[in-house]
Amino acid sequence: MDYEAYYRHVNLEEAGPEAVQAYYDQLAAAAPTDPQATARTREADGTIPGEAKALLFNVSAEIKNTFHELGAPIPPLLNGCTVVDLGCGSGRDTYLAAQLVGPSGRVIGVEPNTQRLAIAQKYLSAEMKQFGYQAPNVELVQGIPEDLSFIPDHSVDVVISNCTFNQSPDKGAYIREVKRILKPEGEWYFTDVFTDRRIAPATAATIERVAERLGGALFIEDFRRLAQANGFHDPRYVMTWKTPLTEVEQAAYPDVAFATITSRLINSELTCDHCEDYGEEIIYDGSLPDYPDFFLFDKDIKFPAGVQCHVCDNVSVLGLGQSRYAHVITVVGSRDQHFGDIHGDTIIKTAPDFEGVVDEDDRPIQASCC
């Protein structure tokens, strides 16, 4: 199956950036007048990190009131980083990130819609003054995430976006541009809506459905496939919430389950598409303000501070190469010897024993497709 084609509404390569921009213009025209009508994140615990939540007070009221989301995908350790905010809207997350990267860092906000971007631009000088910066560390660009040609290759530490990836008409192009601009061991950290199945094309192709930030949501396994096909070997899901829907919205998607997920994708050739074991261990030093007791790697994995933990190659990368997490994570060991599957490869281990063979759940293999 061509997963990219299934979700594509405009082919950037064939139709060009102007056609993609025109699609975003249609979405903006179809969007509800109330910005929060399409907000798919919420102010639940953990949706905005503590250090970022305190900085919301420095962001102008109009920016916050016209922003289309409530939670924020803000990862730790942004000081001095170059951050790109895709689909930045009125700029709330852009200005949050601007405070976290500090005066030595840089934030580029990219937004297709001129009206939303104008609000962010309107307050640029006032925000810099509020932050106490002598020179702006924010650049606001009208553009599309699928064509970031104004950003050099491998020049960005972190890419963020807040429930805008689902609206992309060419998600493969979007992912490839994120991959291109990220430095080695750079991070794509974003929140978006995903589903437990593919939405029928007749529904997904409707501008109104995509504008409400539901019709364009990907089946979570298709996202994994697209990410891996375009060089992000190991997508991780950090936090998940049930996506809030109205009764009318739910009725439009019978039997479809939606989840709002914050994802972490590391751009590294040191990772692979399966967790492999090199005997490496990591130690988290506990110095992150919001995580004094543990490092939250994904929704299933927390590393206690000060404890040496055996990890796979996709986790140890946090402390290797150019990763900014190397400031707080130490890797013990090397990759001189390979120990195979981190969980043990049941296919190989059971191959000689054809009597009583068990599957990965240690249960007898059934005569079934799954």
Side-chain angles (χ1 to χ4, degrees), residues 1 35 43 48 77 89 122-123 159 162-163 174 196 203 208 213 249-250 261 265 292 325 329 343:
M1 177 177 178
E43 292 283 13
I48 300 181
L77 290 170
K122 174 181 174 182
Y123 290 95
V159 174
N162 199 337
C163 280
Y174 187 119
D196 68 337
T203 300
E208 289 73 19
R213 303 188 181 203
E249 289 169 344
Q250 189 65 74
I261 301 175
L265 289 80
Y325 291 109
I329 290 177
H343 304 294

Side-chain angles (χ1 to χ4, degrees), residues 42 71 139 147 151 155 211 249 279 328 351:
R42 287 292 180 261
E139 179 184 358
D147 180 12
I151 300 177
S155 62
E249 289 169 344
V328 299

